[in-house]
């Protein structure tokens, strides 16, 4: 596996490439053109400039997170064909620049949902958190307002102000879209883009819905093993794969994370590894990465990835805000650096145990 860190780009991230380069074992970044809008074509020139900036810092571009999918593609309406063609052109340009992995999602309206961005923990750190009761008590149009004050001046992915200003319009666009229609639109999209993925050996790694159940009545399809295997079967191409995010699949305690990893052997193209601490089935907060601080057995998760021969990029996911750092919630330097070294320690131990048998 290749240890990486997500990086939003100069001018969008408080963390620098120089700092990332100093985290032991981190050799690449998962990055993006953060100021592009869904449906916009990424030019080859901008992709090359981004890649050269990363490489000049001694790192590699291990993948893109995300090339966002336009809502017309998700709803199967409006200018769907135009936006799919634009997406194909972006993939073509990425492929020509040697970038071989793209993480994306197919979530309606909200890319992810949290009800708190700075819940205080007993140790004084702050974390992202979710309670169903808070969601049930708020109207969707007010969701952005409820968390905007805790964004530390950043623009959170999936919660861009211009997008949130259209919440009513977006809900109207999805009013007739249920799980089956959303699934059909996903399959249509994948079938259209697989030829360019085959041409350039680009792995498409779909990110799971977060949380793994319906929020505000919106459809949710990338939530469990059954649905993922159905997607794999519908578009049976090695480039149609997943981002295995433990923190997203893990929001549903019925999901057996190591079992899911083993069931997806060969189709996990990217991994987000983080831990959650549950207070009830629908009240959870993000924790430090180590097993003892949360609910998940991180050793078992890393063991499963090792056992299936996972060799793609991996990154510590959301970290706590610690040591007085002010950054995009979940994306500071310090706790993610701790997470990266912890996960590498687990991997090294598993590797040595395996070779000693």
């Amino acid at each position: 596996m290749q240890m990486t860190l997500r990086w939003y780009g100069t001018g969008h991230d408080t963390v620098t490439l120089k700092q990332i380069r100093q985290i032991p074992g981190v050799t690449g970044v998962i990055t993006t053109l953060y100021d592009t809008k869904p449906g916009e074509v990424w030019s080859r020139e901008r992709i090359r400039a981004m890649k050269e900036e990363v490489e000049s810092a001694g790192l590699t571009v291990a993948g893109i997170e995300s090339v966002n999918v336009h809502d017309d593609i998700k709803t199967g309406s409006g200018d769907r064909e135009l936006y799919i063609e634009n997406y194909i052109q972006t993939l073509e340009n990425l492929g020509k620049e040697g970038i071989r992995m793209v993480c994306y999602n197919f979530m309606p309206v909200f890319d992810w949902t949290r009800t708190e961005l700075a819940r205080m923990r007993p140790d004084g750190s702050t974390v992202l958190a979710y309670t169903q009761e808070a969601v049930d008590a708020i109207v969707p149009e007010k969701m952005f307002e409820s968390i905007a004050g805790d964004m530390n001046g950043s623009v959170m992915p999936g919660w861009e102000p211009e997008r949130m200003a259209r919440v009513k319009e977006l809900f109207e666009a999805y009013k007739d879209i249920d799980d089956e229609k959303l699934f059909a639109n996903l399959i249509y999209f994948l079938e259209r883009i697989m030829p360019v993925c085959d041409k350039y050996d680009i792995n498409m790694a779909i990110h799971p819905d977060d949380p793994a159940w319906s929020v505000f009545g919106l459809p949710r399809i990338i939530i469990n093993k059954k649905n993922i295997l159905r997607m794999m079967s519908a578009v049976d191409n090695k480039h149609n794969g997943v981002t295995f995010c433990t923190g997203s699949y893990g929001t549903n305690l019925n999901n057996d994370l190591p079992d899911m990893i083993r069931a997806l052997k060969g189709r996990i193209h990217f991994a987000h590894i983080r831990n959650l601490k549950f207070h009830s089935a629908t009240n959870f907060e993000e924790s430090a990465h180590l097993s003892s601080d949360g609910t998940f057995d991180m050793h078992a998760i890393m063991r499963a990835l090792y056992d299936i021969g996972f060799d793609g990029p991996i990154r510590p996911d959301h970290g706590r805000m610690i040591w007085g750092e002010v950054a995009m919630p979940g994306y500071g330097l310090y706790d993610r650096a701790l997470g990266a070294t912890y996960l590498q320690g687990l991997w090294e131990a598993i590797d040595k145990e395996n070779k000693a048998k």
Side-chain angles (χ1 to χ4, degrees):
M1 58 92 177
Q2 180 187 14
M3 184 56 67
T4 67
L5 212 71
R6 188 173 189 179
W7 183 64
Y8 288 95
T10 300
H12 303 287
D13 205 317
T14 58
V15 181
T16 66
L17 291 172
K18 181 178 179 180
Q19 291 170 324
I20 294 171
R21 180 68 179 82
Q22 294 172 14
I23 304 171
V26 173
T27 61
V29 294
I30 303 296
T31 189
T32 189
L33 296 181
Y34 199 45
D35 57 354
T36 56
K37 294 179 173 59
E40 184 178 338
V41 175
W42 292 20
S43 72
R44 190 171 175 185
E45 292 72 23
R46 289 203 65 197
I47 294 167
R48 184 184 302 120
M50 172 264 291
K51 184 179 176 184
E52 288 174 352
E53 181 182 11
V54 171
E55 291 178 346
S56 69
L59 297 160
T60 64
V61 176
I64 298 297
E65 184 181 352
S66 304
V67 179
N68 291 318
V69 180
H70 194 278
D71 288 292
D72 282 7
I73 298 175
K74 296 177 186 178
T75 60
S77 60
D79 290 324
R80 171 168 75 167
E81 298 304 325
L82 168 66
Y83 290 123
I84 289 178
E85 288 300 328
N86 286 357
Y87 206 100
I88 289 169
Q89 185 59 56
T90 293
L91 292 176
E92 181 100 13
N93 292 339
L94 287 168
K96 287 177 179 177
E97 292 302 320
I99 295 174
R100 303 285 183 247
M101 192 282 292
V102 172
C103 171
Y104 69 105
N105 75 70
F106 222 73
M107 286 181 261
V109 185
F110 302 111
D111 278 6
W112 50 271
T113 307
R114 291 291 182 271
T115 54
E116 299 167 69
L117 301 183
R119 178 184 288 183
M120 183 74 71
R121 303 192 78 213
D123 62 4
S125 63
T126 61
V127 294
L128 283 71
Y130 180 96
T131 60
Q132 189 62 45
E133 293 78 11
V135 169
D136 294 341
I138 195 168
V139 294
E141 301 94 283
K142 301 293 184 181
M143 189 70 200
F144 178 75
E145 295 177 18
S146 72
I147 62 172
D150 291 329
M151 289 184 177
N152 294 330
S154 62
V155 178
M156 300 286 287
W159 290 81
E160 297 81 4
E162 62 272 17
R163 180 174 177 79
M164 292 301 99
R166 299 174 51 235
V167 166
K168 282 188 176 180
E169 177 187 338
L170 289 168
F171 267 85
E172 182 66 20
Y174 284 97
K175 69 177 183 178
D176 296 322
I177 306 296
D178 59 13
D179 286 4
E180 286 304 310
K181 287 181 181 178
L182 187 64
F183 183 81
N185 293 336
L186 171 59
I187 299 308
Y188 183 86
F189 168 68
L190 286 170
E191 289 174 338
R192 288 289 308 279
I193 68 172
M194 280 298 108
V196 72
C197 294
D198 292 338
K199 180 179 179 180
Y200 291 102
D201 193 26
I202 297 173
N203 288 325
M204 295 299 296
I206 193 167
H207 190 282
D209 300 346
D210 190 351
W213 58 78
S214 177
V215 177
F216 299 124
L218 294 166
R220 286 285 191 260
I221 55 176
I222 308 302
I223 58 174
N224 54 33
K225 182 170 76 170
K226 176 184 175 183
N227 289 16
I228 284 290
L229 293 178
R230 182 187 178 198
M231 186 192 81
M232 300 298 177
S233 177
V235 183
D236 192 11
N237 184 308
K238 67 178 183 179
H239 295 116
N240 174 29
V242 305
T243 294
F244 197 90
C245 178
T246 59
S248 296
Y249 285 125
T251 57
N252 186 336
L253 289 170
N254 292 319
N255 284 334
D256 183 332
L257 300 178
D259 173 70
M260 291 177 70
I261 290 169
R262 291 186 168 90
L264 294 168
K265 181 178 180 179
R267 303 290 277 273
I268 297 176
H269 299 319
F270 182 29
H272 292 179
I273 307 299
R274 59 182 163 94
N275 205 347
L276 299 176
K277 183 175 181 62
F278 284 81
H279 302 288
S280 74
T282 58
N283 179 352
F284 59 83
E285 62 193 42
E286 299 180 358
S287 68
H289 285 75
L290 70 164
S291 301
S292 61
D293 197 50
T295 299
F296 305 151
D297 185 337
M298 304 302 280
H299 180 273
I301 288 166
M302 296 298 284
R303 162 62 76 177
L305 287 168
Y306 183 92
D307 288 347
I308 66 168
F310 175 73
D311 61 358
I314 186 173
R315 69 171 178 84
D317 207 358
H318 305 162
R320 302 167 299 148
M321 285 294 111
I322 61 173
W323 302 338
E325 185 175 22
V326 177
M328 182 188 296
Y331 287 100
L333 171 65
Y334 306 140
D335 203 44
R336 287 190 299 154
L338 293 175
T341 52
Y342 171 69
L343 296 175
Q344 289 179 94
L346 288 175
W347 190 272
E348 178 182 350
I350 292 164
D351 183 52
K352 288 182 175 178
E353 290 166 2
N354 192 68
K355 289 176 178 176
K357 289 180 181 178

